[in-house]
Amino acid sequence: MRTVTIVGASLAGLYAARALRAQGFDGRLVIVGDEPHRPYDRPPLSKGFLTGATPEADLALADAEEETELAAEWLLGTRARGLDARGRTLLLNDGRTVATDGLVVATGARARPLPGSDGLAGVHTLRTLDDARALRDALGGQARRVVVIGGGFIGAETASSCAALGHQVTVVEAAPLPLVPQLGPEMAVFCAALHRRGGVELITGACVAGLHGRAAVTAVELADGRLLPADVVVVGIGAVPNTGWLAGSTLLVADGVLCDDGCATALPQVVAVGDVARVCGVRAEHWTSATEQPAVAVRNLLAGRTVEHVRPAPYFWSDQYGARIQFAGRRRDGDTVRIVEGSPEEGSFLCRYERAGTTTAVLAVDRPRPFLRARRELTRAAAVPTA
């Protein structure tokens, strides 16, 4: 294998490049990224970067020394527009082509837009560095009326940051409670209380009918007719995997690139990692997936077949209103929730999700050490092959 191309220059793409070199690949390495920026860390965008506590320079994931060691060709500000799998050729939007022997798809996902919001000033999503720059600029100066549409992690973190900056914030969530799919109803109640504790109005069970304003947004209209005055609207209603450029190729796509449990696709010498990869039916938009999958995917890419499998205990964290929320494992409806340390009333606790006497997931709020021990137990259990 003389040339490997990584499509996607964010976290998963960088980790794939590191894994290739660490595993002995010394050929030509090409990294294609549609953003003009070198790889940067996304979690701080809705937190420290938005509030000004984290300078932009601290977002960089690699320094000049590492980039020299990677010896990669960086094609930044360039979007992939197609894949000729038979000819093993990547097509770029500027007309160039890249012939490659191996391909790592790491194109991530993009923020899901709110229908009808195109061209209206004051409406933001928060996915990229440029998104965060624009939102930070919009929040500068005087206090703003901010409406956050969507109570997921990005929405909650953004609301928390806006409140910390002194803005009047309202969160609109369609579900009866925020984060129910991730945490379950018992613990979602706690997250709802965090908003109110932070001085943020939380409106649940509400759908957005549309936005008001001519050149710039002035209000958010709910389906029940209520109008929420707004100077700034942040849309956080999920993400869409970036697979459009693969249309017409023979790569199988269904809400992500379909992979086996080793991140290998049905096409020889093509693997997928990160937010765009649907590994054994699951597409996990988590930082840990983007950092753990590449080493396995690259090993299988270089081997030409699946010789190693991904067996993680999924993990994510969120910082909201001064609280650190950590979760690991796979919760399912019907799991029993048992608090083993602290209490939600105290604002600090550890709980276990259990099924048939087995721990399936753990959740902690401001209990980092007990959580780390519990997470290690889950990771060890996940690493044991099942018959």
Side-chain angles (χ1 to χ4, degrees), residues 47 51 157-169 198 200 321-322:
K47 295 173 279 195
T51 62
E157 290 172 359
T158 302
S160 173
S161 296
C162 289
L165 290 169
H167 300 293
Q168 177 186 325
V169 185
V200 170
Y321 308 103

Side-chain angles (χ1 to χ4, degrees), residues 100-321:
T100 191
D101 303 304
L103 183 70
V104 180
V105 180
T107 44
R110 64 189 182 279
R112 188 185 302 277
L114 183 71
S117 63
D118 292 347
L120 199 59
V123 180
H124 299 262
T125 55
L126 186 51
R127 183 79 186 183
T128 68
L129 175 57
D130 290 339
D131 290 341
R133 285 172 172 170
L135 179 56
R136 191 169 67 173
D137 289 346
L139 295 171
Q142 65 187 35
R144 307 284 184 177
R145 297 168 299 179
V146 180
V147 175
V148 178
I149 301 174
F153 289 113
I154 291 295
E157 290 172 359
T158 302
S160 173
S161 296
C162 289
L165 290 169
H167 300 293
Q168 177 186 325
V169 185
T170 302
V171 174
V172 179
E173 168 58 44
L177 288 167
L179 299 172
V180 168
Q182 295 86 355
L183 307 183
E186 299 92 344
M187 293 297 103
V189 170
F190 173 80
C191 291
L194 279 179
H195 288 287
R196 299 186 179 98
R197 189 179 79 183
V200 170
E201 181 182 7
L202 174 64
I203 301 175
T204 58
C207 295
V208 172
L211 304 180
H212 287 230
R214 294 185 178 179
V217 68
T218 58
V220 175
E221 182 179 354
L222 303 184
D224 61 8
R226 281 181 288 177
L227 285 180
L228 307 177
D231 305 303
V232 175
V233 171
V234 182
V235 180
I237 54 175
V240 182
N242 288 320
T243 58
W245 65 281
L246 293 167
S249 76
T250 53
L251 205 60
L252 298 178
V253 173
D255 186 36
V257 176
L258 300 185
C259 306
D260 66 10
D261 62 358
C263 300
T265 73
L267 292 182
Q269 309 307 125
V270 179
V271 297
V273 293
D275 292 357
V276 75
R278 179 164 288 276
V279 180
C280 274
V282 177
R283 190 172 66 83
E285 296 179 10
H286 302 317
W287 192 90
T288 46
S289 299
T291 58
E292 292 174 350
Q293 291 174 356
V296 174
V298 162
R299 187 162 288 110
N300 295 331
L301 176 69
L302 296 177
R305 60 190 179 89
T306 299
V307 296
E308 187 174 341
H309 310 278
V310 177
R311 294 184 182 276
Y315 165 69
F316 59 82
W317 77 93
S318 180
D319 296 311
Q320 304 173 24
Y321 308 103

Side-chain angles (χ1 to χ4, degrees), residues 24 240 334 372 380:
V240 182
L372 180 59
R380 286 194 293 268

